[in-house]
Amino acid sequence: MAHAKECLSARWPLPFWKMSGAGNDFVLIDHRGAFVAARDMAEFARLVCRPKFGVGADGLIFIERSEEADFQWRFFNADGSEAEMCGNGARCAARFAFMQGIAAAHMRFLTRAGLIEASVDETLVTVSLTPATDLVLNRRLQVTDRPHVVHSVNTGVPHAVLFVEDLAGTDVCSLGRALRFHEAFGPKGTNVNFVALADDGLHIRSYERGVEDETFACGTGAVAAALIAVQLGLSSPPVRISTTGGAQLDILFTEKGGERLPALRLRGSAHVIYRGELTPEALA
Ligand SMILES: N[C@@H](CCC[C@H](N)C(=O)O)C(=O)O
């Protein structure tokens, strides 16, 4: 990482924003100057996302120039792994871009999952997701000591979804970790979402790949849960989801003809928590 410090030498102190999308928190950096080398990005993100020694966040987002859209991004989980998409992070990125004058209130930006459209209305941000793929319902998987009925879908990143009776009593970390690394999801693994039906919609707790822990919210996970609940006839659109941190996310559906899955949009809050400046000691 010494190289990163050198290549950043002309840039210290480095401005960043800390934002929260429904309790999923992120560091955002205007990287249109492209001063962090691509080979250093993962380690840079891991060091900055560390609690206590860094800023502390579930992920880090580089906002970059694009010839094809208003901007493009690179998204890194707290462990430095790069993910194709992040629903809550996308909502924060859209508000960051709007507030920084990088894009208008209705924008399009490129992710590794594809093109995302977003609209910003003060702290309420709505993002369209790329078409959901790889939907598998009612798979029985042996996990730890017993079989579980597991559903899965890719909403830009892979998600497993399990419906449970006692959400508060679910051991999200141990069962989530066992499923996140389960052979059924291949070497890349999956995020894992535990969902309970409620009078006001769905309640969800998520174990996130790349954070390797429960997070307060997972946007693409909430979308996965809503899509699967509707496909199973357990809920109907639009689906309101209450997340661990107490925030709510709305999943909006646009029906498609034939066998195609509906188009999905994610709506919720995106808050600017603080603006700061990184020093080289954040990479120590
Ligand atoms: N929290 C995100 C998901 C971020 C990526 C995920 N951890 C993965 O690696 O698949 C969201 O809001 O969607």
Side-chain angles (χ1 to χ4, degrees), residues 16-202:
F16 73 93
W17 288 22
K18 180 71 183 296
M19 295 187 72
S20 173
N24 213 183
D25 63 340
F26 307 97
V27 170
L28 287 96
I29 291 174
D30 181 348
H31 196 234
R32 290 177 294 170
F35 39 82
V36 178
R39 67 172 175 272
D40 291 329
M41 283 181 161
E43 182 64 358
F44 180 95
R46 186 187 68 79
L47 293 172
V48 172
C49 287
R50 289 173 301 169
K52 312 299 182 190
F53 295 97
V55 174
D58 292 335
L60 185 145
I61 299 169
F62 291 103
I63 302 293
E64 302 192 319
R65 293 190 192 287
S66 169
E67 298 301 319
E68 302 159 62
D70 294 299
F71 63 91
Q72 65 183 30
W73 85 354
R74 299 286 296 273
F75 176 88
F76 293 86
N77 286 305
D79 70 353
S81 60
E82 185 167 12
E84 299 81 356
M85 177 56 187
C86 171
N88 289 325
R91 296 188 301 97
C92 291
R95 185 157 185 240
F96 176 91
F98 175 64
M99 293 175 74
Q100 294 273 51
I102 298 169
H106 299 280
M107 64 188 78
R108 300 183 317 147
F109 62 94
L110 271 178
T111 72
R112 293 208 159 185
L115 188 70
I116 301 297
E117 293 185 13
S119 58
V120 177
D121 178 7
E122 297 185 354
T123 62
L124 190 65
V125 184
T126 305
V127 295
S128 64
L129 273 71
T130 49
T133 60
D134 306 316
L135 175 66
V136 179
L137 300 177
N138 296 312
R139 188 165 29 169
R140 288 177 68 82
L141 295 180
Q142 187 71 20
V143 188
T144 57
D145 57 346
R146 67 176 182 83
H148 292 264
V149 176
V150 181
H151 316 284
S152 55
V153 66
N154 188 303
T155 50
V157 288
H159 285 278
V161 174
L162 296 83
F163 291 92
V164 298
E165 294 294 328
D166 177 8
L167 191 58
T170 298
D171 187 347
V172 170
C173 281
S174 57
L175 186 52
R177 188 169 294 119
L179 270 163
R180 178 262 184 269
F181 290 102
H182 194 284
E183 61 184 2
F185 299 107
K188 289 187 176 180
T190 184
N191 300 280
V192 187
N193 305 275
F194 300 91
V195 183
L197 305 180
D199 295 340
D200 61 349
L202 303 180

Side-chain angles (χ1 to χ4, degrees), residues 219-251:
T220 49
V223 173
L227 173 62
I228 288 168
V230 168
Q231 293 290 317
L232 292 171
L234 301 174
S235 185
S236 55
V239 179
R240 168 148 292 185
I241 295 200
S242 298
T243 63
T244 309
Q248 290 179 327
L249 295 169
D250 290 325
I251 317 306

